[in-house]
Amino acid sequence: MNVSYHEPATWQEAHALLERHGDDATVLAGGTAFTLLLRQGLIRPGHVVALRRIAGASAIDADAHGGVSIGALATHTAVQRSDRITAAWPELADAVAKVATVRVRNQATLGGSVAHADPASDAPVMLCALAAQVVVTTADAGSRRVPIEELFVDTFTTTLGPAELIRSIEIPARPAGAAAVYRKYTLRSADDYACVSVGALADLGGGVFGGLRLFLGGVGPTPMRARSVERALAGTRVDARAIADAAALARDDVDPQSDTRGSAAYKREMARVWTERALRALAGMPIS
C-alpha cells in the first residue's frame, strides 16, 4: 500500500491537505485508534495528515472565564498530570487515568479520542458530564463551538465535516459547590474498555440535587444522557432511597447491544447498579 505522510505546521495547512486529498486522506492524532483500524483493514488511506507538528495543539491553558482549554493533541497522560486540570477538575484527571495502559495514555490524545467517538471510551463520558464544548476549525479559517454531547451521532460517527478538525476541548469553570465523579466497570481487567461507565456532575448545596448532568458510556451508540434519572432527582434531598429509586430509571435511558462484555439485559442492570454507585459517591455516601 502506497501512503503519503504529511506533517503540516499549521491548522490552515492541515485543512488544505484534507481538502486537496478528500476521501483519500486520514487524520492522525495520537495514532492508537489509527493503528488498530489500519491493522483490521477498516481504513486504507492514500494520505495521512499528522497533526503533531502544529504549534500549540497540545497546550492546556486556563481560559478567560476560569475554565480550562485542552488542545486536541494533549495526551491523556498530559491531561492526567496537568496542574490546571487537577486543580479545576480532578475528576477528569481520574477519568483519563482509567484509559487502557500507561503506554496507551502516553500516546493517545484527548482530541483523537473525541473524534474517534468510541462509546466505550472513558474521557468523552466525563467531558459530557462536565458540559464541555468542542472547538472545531474549518477550511475557511473559521471555527464553531459544539456542545460535546451534540458532536456524537453514532458509534464512531460525529458531526465533523470532511475537512473539519477538533482544535480544542473547552471545559467551563467549576461552579461553587459542584461535585463530580467518574465510575467505570470492566469485566476482564482494569485497562479494558468499559462495560458501563458513569460521569456525573451536580450542585449539592443545601443537601439537595441541583443541575445534575449524568452520562453513561458503553451502553449505547454514544455517551447516553440519563435524563429520567436527572428529572427524578431534580430538587430532591440527598437520600439513599431517592438515589436508588432514581438509578433504577437508568435502565430505560440506555440502549446497549449484546457483545463480549455482556448481554443487553445485563448491561441495563449494570447501568442501574453503577448509576446508583456513582450518585452515592457524588453525595459522599458509602458504597454498599
Side-chain angles (χ1 to χ4, degrees), residues 88-104:
W89 293 110
E91 300 85 1
L92 177 60
D94 178 56
V96 299
K98 291 179 168 62
V99 172
T101 63
V102 170
R103 184 175 180 179
V104 170

Side-chain angles (χ1 to χ4, degrees), residues 149 213-216 224-233 249 253:
E149 65 264 34
R213 291 176 60 87
L214 181 68
F215 287 81
L216 292 94
M224 305 296 287
R225 188 165 188 177
R227 292 189 182 276
S228 297
V229 180
E230 293 175 355
R231 286 193 294 266
L233 289 175
L249 301 175
D253 284 328

Side-chain angles (χ1 to χ4, degrees), residues 20-44:
R20 185 181 312 147
H21 300 294
D23 292 341
D24 203 27
T26 296
V27 176
L28 177 67
T32 51
F34 175 90
T35 302
L36 289 174
L37 294 173
L38 194 65
R39 286 177 177 173
Q40 293 168 358
L42 297 175
I43 55 173
R44 283 287 183 266

Side-chain angles (χ1 to χ4, degrees), residues 115-172:
H116 186 49
D118 187 328
S121 292
D122 296 281
V125 177
M126 195 66 214
L127 290 168
C128 285
L130 299 182
Q133 293 197 329
V134 179
V135 177
V136 177
T137 60
T138 59
D140 60 3
S143 66
R144 60 189 179 100
R145 298 173 69 93
V146 185
I148 190 167
E149 65 264 34
E150 295 178 13
L151 188 80
F152 303 117
V153 175
D154 205 339
T155 303
F156 305 132
T157 307
T158 69
T159 61
L160 290 172
E164 289 187 322
L165 294 166
I166 294 175
R167 184 165 187 161
S168 63
I169 295 98
E170 315 283 331
I171 306 171

